[in-house]
Amino acid sequence: MAMMTPFRAAPSVLIAILLAIGLMVAFALGARAAPVLLVLGSGLLVLLWRTQVAVRENLGASAAEVRARIARLGSGDFALDSPVLGYRKESVMGWLEEAQGELIAIEQARRQTEERQQVSEARCRLLAENASDVIWTMSLDGRITYVSPSVERLRGFTPTEASSSRSRRS
């Protein structure tokens, strides 16, 4: 369940509340103060409206849409909503769209690298398993980590037996 924060209501609701408060104050202060407070209140409403428009323009979408896009990116979902979203490049959504494109390119490069690595490993395994010479790998501490199957034909040991010994045989 999402936590509710203050002023989470729609801007039009906030404007209506401020207007109502302004009217109550104006009537409480009397007839002479009413015109001044109404002008100040109207000016405040115009400023709030302009601020709302500026914030939406800078975000490039509503705050909820920006939050949803960030959450999708954070979860690893880099898919674009449509081929060309076309957000204003100098807005938060424009920057997110650009970052999303970069993340897609990085993800594609990672997948291609993984595929090339798998092909390379398969080739190495094919060579090692079908070579007539014994091929082995060894860790830095001298432990044999791999012995090719040809060891059985040449030395009479299974690869498991050969790898269980250190480098005691020559």
Side-chain angles (χ1 to χ4, degrees), residues 63-167:
E65 290 170 314
V66 172
R67 189 178 308 114
R69 174 65 60 87
I70 291 171
R72 278 188 39 220
L73 290 175
S75 71
D77 179 7
F78 306 140
L80 290 171
D81 294 334
S82 59
V84 178
L85 296 175
Y87 290 108
R88 222 170 42 90
K89 292 298 177 193
E90 291 302 315
S91 70
V92 172
M93 286 298 275
W95 297 328
L96 287 173
E97 181 179 7
E98 186 178 321
Q100 191 170 0
E102 292 172 10
L103 289 169
I104 289 170
I106 290 169
E107 179 66 16
Q108 288 172 344
R110 184 191 65 77
R111 285 184 183 161
Q112 289 172 350
T113 301
E114 278 182 358
E115 288 170 8
R116 285 193 301 264
Q117 180 183 3
Q118 289 172 354
V119 168
S120 178
E121 288 174 353
R123 285 181 184 153
C124 286
R125 193 170 23 264
L126 182 67
L127 283 171
E129 290 174 358
N130 293 301
S132 58
D133 294 331
V134 176
I135 298 173
W136 75 91
T137 59
M138 188 176 282
S139 65
L140 293 175
D141 64 355
R143 191 172 38 87
I144 297 173
T145 56
Y146 172 80
V147 179
S148 64
S150 61
V151 72
E152 194 165 358
R153 188 175 61 249
L154 294 173
R155 304 285 309 261
F157 302 111
T158 66
T160 306
E161 292 171 337
S163 63
S164 66
S165 68
R166 286 201 172 246
S167 56

Side-chain angles (χ1 to χ4, degrees), residues 37-49:
L37 289 174
L38 285 175
V39 168
L40 289 174
S42 298
L44 179 61
L45 289 176
V46 169
L47 286 174
L48 284 172
W49 176 75

Side-chain angles (χ1 to χ4, degrees), residues 3-20:
M3 188 169 94
M4 293 298 288
T5 58
F7 303 106
R8 181 94 184 209
S12 57
V13 172
L14 292 175
I15 291 171
I17 292 170
L18 288 173
L19 183 59

